[in-house]
Amino acid sequence: MHSRDVRDTFLRYFEEKGHTVVSSSSLVPTADPTLLFTNAGMVQFKRAFLGEEVRPYTRAASSQKCVRAGGKHNDLENVGYTARHHTFFEMLGNFSFGDYFKEGAIEMAWELMTERYRLPQERLWATVFHEDDEARRLWEKIAGLPPERIVGLGEKDNFWAMGDTGPCGPCSEIILDQGEDMACGPECGIGKCDCDRYLEIWNLVFMQFNRTSKGELEPLPKPSIDTGMGLERLCAIVQGVRSNFDTDLLRPIIARLEDLAGEAYGGPDRLKNVAFRVIADHSRATSFLIADGVLPSNEGRGYVLRRIIRRALRFGRLLNLKTPFLPAVCERVVELMGEIYPELQTARGFLHQIVTHEEERFAETLDHGLRLLQEELAALKASSGRVLPGEVAFRLYDTYGFPLDLVQDALREEGLDLDYEGYEAHMRRQRETSRAAWKGAGEEIPEVYVELAGWPPTRFLGYETLSADSTILALIRHETAGDQAEAGEEVEVVTTATPFYGEAGGQVGDTGWITGAGFKIEVTNTQRLPNDLIVHQGVVREGLVRVNDQAHLEVDAERRARIARHHTATHILQATLQKHLGSPTSLPSPGTP
């Protein structure tokens, strides 16, 4: 079964069962500040589950784009080292908003698994919340599972909650026994280990309670169903392979890498195989995030994307891929998935441009940092040390811009550890030094700028141009950082690059406009912070502006010209005064007769 057929079989089955097939939502959650990325199929239905929105249907099914690479759900560091972890994946799910409940969910799940995908019944198990006797009885009745193949687990594994309060309920997982050859040892078993013998396929959440602020569970008036099943994992099972990376979703991307590297995947070099998997996975996350409007930056979603790209580039060096290679790998992603997700085709040229720029921008830093890191690791091993000093990791980051997670990856490969507390101590000292430097400049640093003090300087373009396009990295309102600002609000804006001159050297800051899709900001002043970060101060005149939005920055050219003329006249006046009256050091001090 091709992955397209696996996906279509799921959606068509539930359509036959009266479900409305809903398209995947964006990876950037709409009006949900609690999430960095869409990380599950239920995200776009969250308000429906909370009763805040009424949809024209009570049953839905979807194949949802998901990213888990930041915040609570973060699989980034595991990607490449296991057969199952991904930053980007597709989540198949069926949902009931007060319609069918446990019996219907279990009935349809079992029929789909055994009759449509034809998974062997004798190798399927189920888990239930250990207090959910109803679900246990339903698995026996509907699937005919013997009691020994229905495993009760605790709250950590089999009780789902939307948050500390709100909708929640027990859940039930469908497990496939992949065989004794996959066992991790004699103690291998469901709930006892994390190996791949007993592989979780599908999680059925029975949303039946509301947890109050006092921790009490109140029955919901309309119990609902929320399920999730990873397409990549299901494809591996249906296609008879032991790794998600051997499915037709990811193997063609690895094949493109084999062509670029001139090496074969699956050889004896474990680290090279890790590199193939990392790049294949990260190229998908990169492509889909950029297609959904996320751009590399130093904050929020853009920072996570930048980490993903840089991690892919670092593993590219293990395959001797020294020239820009990631754009070609992302192009393969577009070829494979552009028909299913047209936004990839729409963003094709832009995607190539952004990834090429990011790779070229980081290449010199990467190579220099890797050389220094290898020297430090060689010295550490020569002295029989096992822990890299935190000062070394900090110096690589602070002086050379080499990210901490790449240091940690390199240490992991060598079986070494990092003095993380030492690294954090140096970071704290750096922030304190930045704060002191700010105060030494005669200013009291607002709390919101403490984190900004460690950011790299804004790229100033104002000597070459008075207009430019850039990405919004930060939005500050009332000395508080936020994700968005709306019409009428005063706001401070930080961008990757800017033609706006920040007040410095006796010259006032520029004014002008920052505009983008659906928003317009009037810039009334521009300030330059002690770390050369340029902040645009102004008012949102139209629309809603968000972090990571693309923006066009336009300086008030006539005002800049007037300022420049006055600034030049001031220098001429100063030079003339010095010529006729002497330099400041030769003038008498105040009070001297």
Side-chain angles (χ1 to χ4, degrees):
M1 229 183 191
H2 190 277
S3 59
R4 181 189 296 269
D5 299 321
V6 175
R7 186 191 298 105
D8 286 347
T9 295
F10 182 90
L11 296 176
R12 297 291 79 78
Y13 172 82
F14 282 104
E15 191 172 43
E16 292 169 13
K17 300 293 183 179
H19 293 65
T20 297
V21 175
V22 182
S23 298
S24 171
S25 63
S26 170
L27 286 170
V28 179
T30 303
D32 189 346
T34 66
L35 290 175
L36 196 64
F37 299 111
T38 299
N39 56 26
M42 62 79 59
V43 170
Q44 68 167 308
F45 303 112
K46 193 171 178 179
R47 295 186 66 232
F49 282 125
L50 290 170
E52 297 171 355
E53 174 186 53
V54 177
R55 299 229 172 182
Y57 45 80
T58 57
R59 299 183 176 198
S62 67
S63 181
Q64 173 65 51
K65 301 178 294 186
C66 297
V67 163
R68 292 186 178 176
K72 179 181 176 182
H73 297 287
N74 184 5
D75 292 334
L76 183 61
E77 284 75 20
N78 291 318
V79 172
Y81 294 96
T82 72
R84 310 292 173 199
H85 283 98
H86 300 290
T87 52
F88 172 87
F89 63 98
E90 290 180 76
M91 182 76 86
L92 302 171
N94 61 288
F95 310 91
S96 164
F97 312 112
D99 192 324
Y100 60 87
F101 196 45
K102 291 182 186 179
E103 185 167 4
I106 291 173
E107 251 177 21
M108 287 184 276
W110 186 254
E111 182 178 52
L112 179 61
M113 290 288 97
T114 59
E115 295 185 20
R116 300 296 175 95
Y117 292 124
R118 299 186 179 181
L119 300 188
Q121 297 185 27
E122 67 277 7
R123 289 167 53 196
L124 293 176
W125 294 56
T127 69
V128 297
F129 181 51
H130 64 93
E131 297 178 4
D132 192 354
D133 294 332
E134 180 187 7
R136 186 183 293 274
R137 287 194 300 270
L138 286 169
W139 279 114
E140 291 181 15
K141 169 190 167 185
I142 294 168
L145 287 177
E148 63 270 18
R149 292 207 341 248
I150 305 172
V151 181
L153 297 176
E155 187 167 337
K156 178 184 175 184
D157 296 297
N158 276 58
F159 196 92
W160 181 91
M162 191 175 288
D164 293 334
T165 61
C168 58
C171 55
S172 185
E173 299 165 338
I174 299 177
I175 308 288
L176 176 72
D177 180 359
Q178 297 203 94
E180 291 184 7
D181 61 317
M182 295 286 283
C184 59
E187 299 300 317
C188 179
I190 296 174
K192 299 178 181 178
C193 63
D194 291 322
C195 78
D196 276 353
R197 174 178 177 176
Y198 294 100
L199 186 67
E200 176 193 340
I201 308 173
W202 201 353
N203 190 16
L204 315 177
V205 176
F206 309 131
M207 211 178 296
Q208 65 185 102
F209 300 111
N210 176 58
R211 193 192 299 272
T212 69
S213 58
K214 296 180 180 179
E216 299 169 344
L217 295 179
E218 300 174 341
L220 289 172
K222 292 184 177 180
S224 298
I225 292 294
D226 161 26
T227 80
M229 174 165 56
L231 175 65
E232 291 75 10
R233 187 172 296 197
L234 180 59
C235 284
I237 292 168
V238 172
Q239 294 173 9
V241 295
R242 292 292 175 86
S243 167
N244 294 1
F245 292 92
D246 290 326
T247 67
D248 67 311
L249 287 164
L250 285 146
R251 194 60 181 83
I253 304 174
I254 292 176
R256 174 66 58 86
L257 270 171
E258 289 176 314
D259 292 340
L260 294 170
E263 294 198 39
Y265 172 64
D269 191 321
R270 184 186 68 86
L271 283 181
K272 287 189 175 181
N273 291 331
V274 169
F276 275 112
R277 292 191 289 269
V278 167
I279 299 167
D281 171 272
H282 289 10
S283 66
R284 297 209 309 165
T286 296
S287 301
F288 276 94
L289 283 170
I290 291 175
D292 276 353
V294 180
L295 295 175
S297 70
N298 291 323
E299 186 188 60
R301 299 181 180 101
Y303 176 66
V304 176
L305 172 58
R306 177 161 282 166
R307 285 183 65 196
I308 290 171
I309 292 174
R310 290 183 172 184
R311 190 167 186 259
L313 300 180
R314 186 258 161 180
F315 276 95
R317 295 301 186 263
L318 296 181
L319 299 177
N320 297 312
L321 293 166
K322 294 188 181 297
T323 56
F325 69 91
L326 195 56
V329 187
C330 291
E331 173 63 22
R332 186 62 177 133
V333 175
V334 177
E335 292 168 358
L336 289 169
M337 306 191 75
E339 186 177 342
I340 300 162
Y341 294 102
E343 62 268 28
L344 288 172
Q345 294 180 346
T346 302
R348 192 177 219 140
F350 185 58
L351 169 64
H352 186 278
Q353 177 186 350
I354 293 297
V355 176
T356 300
H357 173 73
E358 191 71 9
E359 182 165 357
E360 290 174 345
R361 183 170 177 259
F362 185 58
E364 187 174 346
T365 296
L366 176 62
D367 291 333
H368 189 55
L370 285 174
R371 283 195 302 271
L372 294 173
L373 179 58
Q374 290 306 316
E375 290 172 6
E376 293 288 351
L377 294 183
L380 182 65
K381 288 188 284 187
S383 64
S384 300
R386 305 298 305 166
V387 180
L388 183 73
E391 184 275 333
V392 173
F394 171 76
R395 177 159 43 86
L396 283 167
Y397 168 76
D398 188 51
T399 306
Y400 305 105
F402 197 76
L404 177 65
D405 52 318
L406 299 193
V407 174
Q408 292 172 312
D409 270 324
L411 291 173
R412 178 177 182 173
E413 291 157 12
E414 300 286 348
L416 302 173
D417 295 316
L418 171 67
D419 172 19
Y420 188 77
E421 290 184 2
Y423 170 83
E424 280 294 300
H426 279 83
M427 288 295 291
R428 283 194 298 272
R429 281 196 289 273
Q430 184 206 49
R431 285 192 286 269
E432 290 165 3
T433 301
S434 296
R435 185 194 296 258
W438 196 310
K439 290 181 178 179
E443 301 177 48
E444 182 70 26
I445 180 172
E447 191 63 32
V448 70
Y449 293 126
V450 172
E451 290 300 322
L452 298 185
W455 282 25
T458 306
R459 191 156 51 96
F460 178 60
L461 309 172
Y463 292 135
E464 298 87 29
T465 181
L466 295 182
S467 64
D469 294 325
S470 190
T471 305
I472 294 177
L473 300 180
L475 293 169
I476 301 164
R477 297 172 300 148
H478 312 299
E479 297 192 351
T480 302
D483 289 331
Q484 62 185 41
E486 57 188 28
E489 289 188 305
E490 293 185 356
V491 67
E492 294 178 275
V493 183
V494 179
T495 55
T496 309
T498 182
F500 283 73
Y501 185 85
E503 182 175 334
Q507 181 167 322
V508 296
D510 280 328
T511 61
W513 295 90
I514 299 177
T515 57
F519 69 86
K520 181 181 289 187
I521 301 170
E522 181 181 5
V523 178
T524 56
N525 190 22
T526 307
Q527 292 287 316
R528 182 186 296 271
L529 305 187
N531 61 338
D532 287 331
L533 204 69
I534 296 175
V535 179
H536 311 83
Q537 300 173 334
V539 179
V540 182
R541 295 302 183 193
E542 294 179 11
L544 180 70
V545 57
R546 296 184 176 89
V547 170
N548 289 325
D549 278 352
Q550 286 300 288
H552 179 73
L553 296 91
E554 188 83 34
V555 172
D556 184 334
E558 183 179 344
R559 181 175 180 274
R560 165 78 81 85
R562 292 199 306 269
I563 291 170
R565 287 195 294 270
H566 281 83
H567 192 83
T568 302
T570 302
H571 281 291
I572 293 172
L573 175 61
Q574 182 185 27
T576 303
L577 290 171
Q578 286 179 349
K579 179 179 178 181
H580 290 282
L581 301 177
S583 65
T585 55
S586 67
L587 292 175
S589 60
T592 303

Coordinates of all heavy atoms in Angstrom, one line a residue, residues 293-331:
G293 N 4.5 29.9 6.3 CA 4.8 31.3 6.6 C 5.8 31.5 7.7 O 6.1 32.7 8.2
V294 N 6.4 30.5 8.3 CA 7.5 30.6 9.3 C 8.8 30.8 8.6 O 9.2 30.1 7.7 CB 7.5 29.4 10.2 CG1 8.6 29.5 11.3 CG2 6.2 29.1 10.9
L295 N 9.6 31.8 9.1 CA 10.9 32.1 8.6 C 12.0 32.0 9.6 O 11.7 32.3 10.8 CB 10.9 33.4 7.9 CG 10.0 33.6 6.7 CD1 10.0 35.0 6.2 CD2 10.4 32.7 5.6
P296 N 13.2 31.6 9.3 CA 14.3 31.5 10.3 C 14.5 32.9 11.0 O 14.5 33.9 10.3 CB 15.5 31.1 9.5 CG 15.0 30.6 8.2 CD 13.7 31.3 7.9
S297 N 14.6 32.8 12.3 CA 14.8 34.1 13.1 C 15.4 33.7 14.4 O 15.8 32.5 14.6 CB 13.5 34.8 13.3 OG 12.6 34.1 14.1
N298 N 15.5 34.6 15.3 CA 16.1 34.3 16.6 C 15.1 34.3 17.7 O 15.4 34.4 18.9 CB 17.2 35.4 16.9 CG 18.4 35.3 16.0 OD1 18.8 34.2 15.7 ND2 18.9 36.4 15.6
E299 N 13.8 34.1 17.4 CA 12.8 34.1 18.4 C 11.6 33.2 18.0 O 11.3 33.0 16.8 CB 12.2 35.5 18.7 CG 11.3 35.5 19.9 CD 10.6 36.9 20.0 OE1 9.9 37.3 19.1 OE2 10.7 37.5 21.1
G300 N 11.0 32.6 19.0 CA 9.8 31.8 18.8 C 9.9 30.8 17.7 O 10.8 30.0 17.6
R301 N 8.8 30.7 16.9 CA 8.8 29.7 15.8 C 10.0 29.8 14.9 O 10.5 28.8 14.4 CB 7.5 29.8 15.1 CG 6.2 29.6 15.9 CD 4.9 29.7 15.1 NE 3.8 29.5 16.0 CZ 3.0 30.5 16.5 NH1 3.3 31.8 16.1 NH2 2.0 30.2 17.3
G302 N 10.4 31.0 14.5 CA 11.5 31.2 13.6 C 12.8 30.6 14.2 O 13.6 30.1 13.4
Y303 N 12.9 30.7 15.5 CA 14.1 30.2 16.1 C 14.2 28.7 16.1 O 15.2 28.0 15.8 CB 14.2 30.6 17.6 CG 15.4 30.1 18.4 CD1 16.7 30.4 18.0 CD2 15.1 29.2 19.4 CE1 17.7 29.8 18.7 CE2 16.2 28.6 20.1 CZ 17.5 29.0 19.8 OH 18.6 28.4 20.5
V304 N 13.0 28.0 16.3 CA 12.9 26.6 16.2 C 13.3 26.1 14.8 O 14.0 25.2 14.5 CB 11.5 26.1 16.6 CG1 11.4 24.6 16.4 CG2 11.2 26.4 18.1
L305 N 12.7 26.8 13.8 CA 13.0 26.5 12.4 C 14.5 26.7 12.1 O 15.1 25.8 11.5 CB 12.2 27.4 11.4 CG 12.6 27.3 9.9 CD1 12.4 25.9 9.4 CD2 11.7 28.3 9.1
R306 N 15.1 27.7 12.6 CA 16.5 27.9 12.4 C 17.3 26.8 13.0 O 18.3 26.3 12.5 CB 17.0 29.2 13.0 CG 18.5 29.5 12.9 CD 18.8 31.0 13.1 NE 18.5 31.7 11.8 CZ 18.4 33.0 11.8 NH1 18.5 33.8 12.8 NH2 18.2 33.6 10.6
R307 N 16.9 26.3 14.2 CA 17.6 25.2 14.9 C 17.5 23.9 14.0 O 18.4 23.2 13.9 CB 17.0 24.9 16.2 CG 17.4 25.9 17.3 CD 16.8 25.5 18.7 NE 17.3 24.2 19.1 CZ 16.8 23.5 20.1 NH1 15.6 23.9 20.6 NH2 17.3 22.4 20.5
I308 N 16.3 23.7 13.4 CA 16.1 22.5 12.6 C 17.0 22.6 11.4 O 17.7 21.6 11.0 CB 14.6 22.4 12.2 CG1 13.7 22.1 13.4 CG2 14.4 21.4 11.1 CD1 12.2 22.2 13.1
I309 N 17.0 23.7 10.7 CA 17.9 23.9 9.5 C 19.4 23.6 9.9 O 20.1 22.9 9.2 CB 17.7 25.2 8.9 CG1 16.3 25.3 8.3 CG2 18.7 25.5 7.8 CD1 15.9 26.7 7.8
R310 N 19.8 24.3 11.0 CA 21.2 24.2 11.3 C 21.6 22.8 11.8 O 22.7 22.4 11.6 CB 21.5 25.2 12.4 CG 21.5 26.7 11.9 CD 21.8 27.7 12.9 NE 22.0 29.0 12.2 CZ 22.3 30.1 12.8 NH1 22.7 30.1 14.1 NH2 22.4 31.3 12.1
R311 N 20.7 22.1 12.4 CA 21.0 20.7 12.8 C 21.1 19.9 11.6 O 22.0 19.0 11.5 CB 19.9 20.2 13.7 CG 20.2 18.8 14.3 CD 19.2 18.5 15.5 NE 19.6 17.3 16.2 CZ 19.1 16.1 15.9 NH1 18.1 15.9 15.0 NH2 19.5 15.0 16.6
A312 N 20.3 20.1 10.6 CA 20.4 19.3 9.3 C 21.7 19.6 8.6 O 22.4 18.7 8.1 CB 19.3 19.7 8.4
L313 N 22.2 20.9 8.6 CA 23.4 21.3 8.0 C 24.6 20.6 8.7 O 25.6 20.2 8.1 CB 23.6 22.8 8.0 CG 22.5 23.6 7.3 CD1 22.8 25.1 7.4 CD2 22.4 23.1 5.8
R314 N 24.6 20.6 10.0 CA 25.6 20.0 10.8 C 25.8 18.5 10.5 O 26.9 18.0 10.3 CB 25.4 20.2 12.3 CG 26.5 19.7 13.2 CD 26.3 18.4 13.8 NE 27.5 17.8 14.2 CZ 27.5 16.6 14.8 NH1 26.4 15.9 15.0 NH2 28.7 16.1 15.2
F315 N 24.6 17.8 10.4 CA 24.7 16.4 10.0 C 25.1 16.2 8.6 O 25.6 15.1 8.2 CB 23.4 15.7 10.3 CG 23.3 15.3 11.8 CD1 22.6 16.1 12.7 CD2 23.8 14.1 12.2 CE1 22.5 15.7 14.0 CE2 23.7 13.7 13.5 CZ 23.1 14.5 14.5
G316 N 24.9 17.2 7.8 CA 25.3 17.1 6.4 C 26.8 17.0 6.3 O 27.4 16.4 5.4
R317 N 27.5 17.7 7.2 CA 29.0 17.6 7.2 C 29.5 16.2 7.5 O 30.6 15.8 7.0 CB 29.6 18.5 8.3 CG 29.3 20.0 8.0 CD 29.9 20.4 6.7 NE 29.8 21.9 6.4 CZ 28.8 22.4 5.7 NH1 27.9 21.7 5.2 NH2 28.8 23.7 5.5
L318 N 28.7 15.4 8.2 CA 29.1 14.0 8.4 C 29.0 13.2 7.1 O 29.6 12.1 7.0 CB 28.2 13.3 9.5 CG 28.2 13.9 10.9 CD1 27.3 13.1 11.8 CD2 29.6 13.9 11.4
L319 N 28.3 13.7 6.2 CA 28.2 13.0 4.8 C 29.0 13.7 3.8 O 28.9 13.5 2.6 CB 26.7 13.0 4.4 CG 25.7 12.2 5.3 CD1 24.3 12.3 4.7 CD2 26.1 10.8 5.4
N320 N 29.9 14.7 4.3 CA 30.8 15.4 3.4 C 30.0 16.3 2.4 O 30.5 16.5 1.3 CB 31.8 14.5 2.7 CG 32.7 13.8 3.7 OD1 33.2 14.4 4.6 ND2 32.8 12.5 3.5
L321 N 28.9 16.8 2.8 CA 28.1 17.7 2.0 C 28.4 19.1 2.3 O 27.9 19.7 3.2 CB 26.6 17.4 2.2 CG 26.0 16.1 1.7 CD1 24.7 15.8 2.3 CD2 26.0 16.0 0.2
K322 N 29.4 19.6 1.6 CA 30.0 20.9 2.0 C 29.4 22.1 1.2 O 29.4 23.2 1.6 CB 31.5 20.9 1.9 CG 32.2 20.0 2.9 CD 33.7 20.2 2.9 CE 34.3 19.2 3.9 NZ 34.0 19.5 5.2
T323 N 28.8 21.8 0.0 CA 28.2 22.9 -0.8 C 26.8 23.0 -0.4 O 26.2 22.0 0.2 CB 28.4 22.6 -2.3 OG1 27.8 21.3 -2.5 CG2 29.8 22.6 -2.7
P324 N 26.0 24.0 -0.7 CA 24.6 24.1 -0.4 C 23.9 22.8 -0.9 O 23.8 22.6 -2.1 CB 24.1 25.4 -1.1 CG 25.3 26.2 -1.1 CD 26.5 25.3 -1.3
F325 N 23.3 22.1 0.0 CA 22.7 20.8 -0.4 C 21.2 20.8 0.1 O 20.4 20.1 -0.6 CB 23.4 19.6 0.2 CG 23.3 19.5 1.7 CD1 22.2 18.8 2.3 CD2 24.2 20.1 2.5 CE1 22.1 18.7 3.7 CE2 24.0 20.0 3.9 CZ 23.0 19.3 4.5
L326 N 20.9 21.5 1.1 CA 19.5 21.4 1.7 C 18.4 21.9 0.7 O 17.4 21.3 0.7 CB 19.4 22.1 3.0 CG 18.2 21.8 3.9 CD1 18.1 20.3 4.2 CD2 18.3 22.6 5.2
P327 N 18.7 22.9 -0.1 CA 17.6 23.3 -1.1 C 17.2 22.1 -2.0 O 16.1 22.0 -2.3 CB 18.3 24.4 -1.9 CG 19.3 25.0 -0.9 CD 19.8 23.8 -0.1
A328 N 18.2 21.3 -2.4 CA 17.9 20.2 -3.3 C 17.1 19.1 -2.6 O 16.2 18.5 -3.2 CB 19.2 19.6 -3.9
V329 N 17.4 18.9 -1.3 CA 16.6 17.9 -0.5 C 15.2 18.4 -0.3 O 14.2 17.7 -0.4 CB 17.3 17.7 0.8 CG1 16.6 16.5 1.5 CG2 18.8 17.3 0.6
C330 N 15.0 19.7 0.0 CA 13.7 20.3 0.2 C 12.9 20.3 -1.1 O 11.7 20.1 -1.1 CB 13.8 21.7 0.7 SG 14.4 21.9 2.4
E331 N 13.6 20.4 -2.3 CA 12.9 20.3 -3.6 C 12.3 18.9 -3.7 O 11.2 18.8 -4.3 CB 13.9 20.6 -4.7 CG 13.4 20.4 -6.1 CD 12.2 21.3 -6.5 OE1 12.1 22.4 -5.8 OE2 11.5 20.9 -7.4

